[in-house]
Amino acid sequence: MSNTVERIKCLIIGSGPAGYTAAIYAARADMKPVMYTGMQMGGQLTTTTEVDNFPGYPNGTDGTAMMEDLKNQAERFGTDVRFGMITKVDFSTEVGGIHKVVVDEATEIEANTIIISTGATAKYLGLESEQRLIGGGVSACATCDGFFYKGQDVVVVGAGDTAAEEATYLANICSKVTMLVRKDHMRASKAMQHRVNKTQNIEVLFNTEIDEVLGDNVVEGVRAVNNQTGDKHDIAVTGVFIAIGHTPNTQLFKGVLDMDDTGYLITKGKSTKTNVPGVFAAGDVQDKEYRQAVTAAGTGCMAALDAERYLGALE
Ligand SMILES: Cc1cc2nc3c(=O)[nH]c(=O)nc-3n(C[C@H](O)[C@H](O)[C@H](O)COP(=O)(O)OP(=O)(O)OC[C@H]3O[C@@H](n4cnc5c(N)ncnc54)[C@H](O)[C@@H]3O)c2cc1C
């Protein structure tokens, strides 16, 4: 058995829209990319049945089917897609240095360039009824799913800028938006609070949490509880938007790559370059602003082009 460590030109970590788009571009540039998919092959979109806003699908598509299309396209140009987790990284800080990673705590691989597209994970409340109804009326993305609730009543859970933004976005589409805020005040900026307060069809309930999401297969309402008095009441809604934040999947890179105070990777200017030469970041892992499949794909393309230019400059 050979002990030789595999050396590749381009390693892509993560198999969401950013990773697969990077793979398509890197493979077509003859960088012979190897992708490790992680546990969630296809990324976040595999948790949704309806994707209506990705260009090129006039009738919308199923999230899992769409990610299978992206995988097939990446493989068509020779991407080596492998199931596995990157569990350790040892990046060289030299220009042209060799980066080392460990797969599944067992196999070491060396790479000239690395594209990180490990995404972000939406936070949920953790209630059984909420988890059961994800995709059946419970969502963590108003931009993605708001349209399906046109003319209907919905609830938004959260108190920060994202929650306020989601509530005002939904107020343009839905009949009524009820915001449930756990504390007696909102965390959102004054400007965002002002926008919420002046929007006629948003009602904010303070000191209020969800006790249970109601409905068997689809959301029919929520049972709200006042955390000061213990009083419960039902609110009839068809959509429940959880807007309590996301966790970027960057644990692996702590102390290695520059991150902001919420753990998102920092990229330089309009590029996908991290602070380490030859290591690039694309998709939700470096974007807490837009978090869409199409923007993730766009930065995936950029990362492959940045990696190709980096290698070209070394020759
Ligand atoms: C329920 C839901 C519905 C959505 N609907 C829409 C929609 O309709 N339209 C839209 O544009 N956007 C939608 N989004 C948002 C969209 O899914 C994300 O913006 C997009 O998937 C981000 O892509 P990404 O490639 O950055 O990462 P992700 O899709 O998050 O993929 C991350 C990948 O990294 C892998 N990974 C993580 N850690 C490791 C590791 N250590 N080693 C190897 N691999 C790793 C994971 O397995 C996964 O494959 C939705 C999101 C959710 C949750």
Side-chain angles (χ1 to χ4, degrees), residues 16-17 39 47 69 77 98 124 146 231 236 258:
M39 291 304 155
T47 64
D69 284 348
F77 299 113
I98 300 299
Y124 286 93
D231 289 345
D258 287 348

Side-chain angles (χ1 to χ4, degrees), residues 234-309:
D234 293 354
I235 308 171
V237 290
T238 47
V240 177
F241 289 87
I242 310 295
I244 55 173
H246 286 74
T247 309
N249 301 320
T250 55
Q251 196 63 29
L252 201 54
F253 313 109
K254 285 232 159 83
V256 180
L257 296 179
D258 287 348
M259 302 176 185
D260 71 10
D261 54 4
T262 50
Y264 284 85
L265 296 183
I266 295 174
T267 49
K268 291 183 183 172
K270 286 186 179 171
S271 78
T272 60
K273 294 173 189 165
T274 67
N275 57 307
V276 172
V279 177
F280 306 89
D284 283 13
V285 74
Q286 53 83 60
D287 169 25
K288 61 179 172 194
E289 198 63 43
Y290 302 106
R291 284 195 294 248
Q292 291 294 291
V294 70
T295 47
T299 51
C301 156
M302 289 163 62
L305 294 178
D306 284 342
E308 184 197 354
R309 285 169 195 163

